[in-house]
């Protein structure tokens, strides 16, 4: 099995873990938002980023806070958290809740929740690392719906003004948010040109193509500040969730759970 096949296998494992942990929690989960993130997280955690737990590590900051279950599933696949941790998702007393709580010992760099805050936090981290002479990279994952927040664009201005070449912004661009299509809620296009106008070298790719993701992430590490617009499908891999805003936050019935798992297994 070559490296790309291994990465695709890991992505498949992460997708199943999202569905299983969400279902067994007995609660609602952000399935659509999590499933669109999978290849982005796979590329970062298993190929591109240095996640060695020390001061020189790269920082992966999930500003798109409702993708937390995808992050937990990735951390489990990487051995950074246990199966018990993952399957405690949204249960009483668990620290693994719908929006991640910062815990460096578990590999969680940021407390997600209010959209837009992750990118401002990430810019602050990048600035601090630059001032301390730390040779690392700060990867900040945002959702396209999150770009409605003015704080995002203020943060981008700060990053460009401070020449934070150690930053890469990754937009999980799945075209949907809780209220429907992003272009109906707040038109973002032309998105690439918007990022470029803020001084970010910007590339647009297929966000489910691990080859394209790894190459774009590698190129971003050579210069910066950079942005990657990763075009994705909300609910990727599960037919009844794909491109369906209703699955932004919803619970799975037993029959839907079985259908989702069956489809994911068949697609591997």
């Amino acid at each position: 099995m070559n490296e790309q096949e291994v990465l695709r296998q890991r992505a498949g494992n992460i997708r199943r873990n999202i569905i299983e942990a969400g279902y067994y929690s007995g609660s609602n989960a952000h399935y659509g938002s999590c499933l669109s993130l999978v290849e982005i997280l796979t590329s970062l955690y298993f190929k591109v980023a240095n996640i060695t737990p020390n001061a020189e590590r790269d920082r992966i900051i999930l500003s798109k806070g409702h993708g937390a279950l995808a992050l937990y599933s990735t951390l489990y696949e990487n051995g950074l958290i246990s199966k018990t941790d993952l399957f405690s998702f949204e249960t009483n007393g668990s620290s693994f809740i719908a929006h991640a709580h910062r815990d460096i010992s578990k590999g969680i760099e940021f407390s997600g929740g209010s959209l837009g805050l992750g990118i401002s936090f990430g810019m602050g981290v990048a600035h601090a690392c630059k001032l301390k002479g730390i040779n690392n990279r700060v990867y900040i994952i945002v959702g396209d719906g999150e770009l409605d927040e003015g704080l995002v664009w203020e943060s981008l201005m700060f990053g460009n003004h401070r020449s934070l070449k150690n930053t890469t912004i990754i937009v999980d661009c799945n075209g949907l948010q809780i209220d429907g299509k992003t272009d109906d809620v707040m038109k973002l296009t032309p998105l690439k040109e918007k990022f470029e106008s803020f001084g970010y070298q910007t590339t647009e790719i297929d966000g489910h193509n691990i080859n394209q993701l790894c190459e774009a992430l590698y190129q971003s590490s050579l210069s910066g500040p950079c942005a990657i617009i990763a075009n994705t499908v909300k609910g990727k891999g599960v037919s009844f969730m794909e491109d369906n805003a209703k699955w932004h936050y919803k619970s799975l019935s037993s029959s839907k759970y079985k259908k989702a798992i069956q489809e994911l297994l068949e697609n591997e």
Side-chain angles (χ1 to χ4, degrees), residues 28-55:
N28 289 343
H30 293 97
Y31 291 109
S33 305
C34 289
L35 292 170
S36 67
L37 270 175
V38 170
E39 282 76 17
I40 295 170
L41 292 171
T42 301
S43 300
L44 284 169
Y45 278 90
F46 296 98
K47 176 63 177 177
V48 176
N50 170 23
I51 58 170
T52 305
N54 58 39

Side-chain angles (χ1 to χ4, degrees), residues 77-94:
E77 178 71 12
N78 203 282
L80 294 171
I81 67 172
S82 69
K83 187 171 184 178
T84 300
D85 289 333
L86 177 62
F87 279 82
S88 73
F89 175 70
E90 283 288 85
T91 58
N92 287 339
S94 174

Side-chain angles (χ1 to χ4, degrees), residues 55-179:
E56 299 288 327
R57 72 187 184 281
D58 292 333
R59 272 57 164 185
I60 302 172
I61 295 168
L62 185 64
S63 184
K64 177 186 161 170
H66 44 262
L69 182 53
L71 175 61
Y72 304 151
S73 297
T74 305
L75 295 175
Y76 168 61
E77 178 71 12
N78 203 282
L80 294 171
I81 67 172
S82 69
K83 187 171 184 178
T84 300
D85 289 333
L86 177 62
F87 279 82
S88 73
F89 175 70
E90 283 288 85
T91 58
N92 287 339
S94 174
S95 58
F96 294 89
I97 53 180
H99 294 85
H101 179 74
R102 187 171 186 259
D103 185 343
I104 301 302
S105 69
K106 300 286 189 181
I108 302 170
E109 296 280 355
F110 173 68
S111 295
S114 297
L115 296 179
L117 291 182
I119 191 166
S120 59
F121 175 84
M123 290 297 177
V125 169
H127 191 215
C129 289
K130 179 182 176 182
L131 292 174
K132 293 177 180 178
I134 297 174
N135 183 27
N136 68 346
R137 193 146 201 92
V138 179
Y139 297 98
I140 307 168
I141 305 169
V142 301
D144 50 353
E146 185 177 5
L147 300 182
D148 294 350
E149 302 284 349
L151 180 59
V152 169
W153 303 97
E154 294 175 37
S155 301
L156 291 173
M157 284 192 291
F158 173 82
N160 185 37
H161 176 70
R162 295 293 181 181
S163 298
L164 298 182
K165 295 182 179 181
N166 56 344
T167 56
T168 298
I169 312 298
I170 307 157
V171 183
D172 178 12
C173 194
N174 62 37
L176 290 173
Q177 55 194 101
I178 193 168
D179 293 322

Side-chain angles (χ1 to χ4, degrees), residues 142-148 152-153 156 169-175 182-183 186-205 227-232:
V142 301
D144 50 353
E146 185 177 5
L147 300 182
D148 294 350
V152 169
W153 303 97
L156 291 173
I169 312 298
I170 307 157
V171 183
D172 178 12
C173 194
N174 62 37
T182 52
D183 272 356
M186 183 74 74
K187 190 173 182 180
L188 294 168
T189 52
L191 187 55
K192 183 174 184 286
E193 288 79 359
K194 282 186 171 69
F195 273 96
E196 289 173 337
S197 73
F198 276 72
Y200 287 73
Q201 298 180 47
T202 307
T203 184
E204 189 166 1
I205 62 167
I228 299 169
I229 300 169
N231 292 311
T232 61

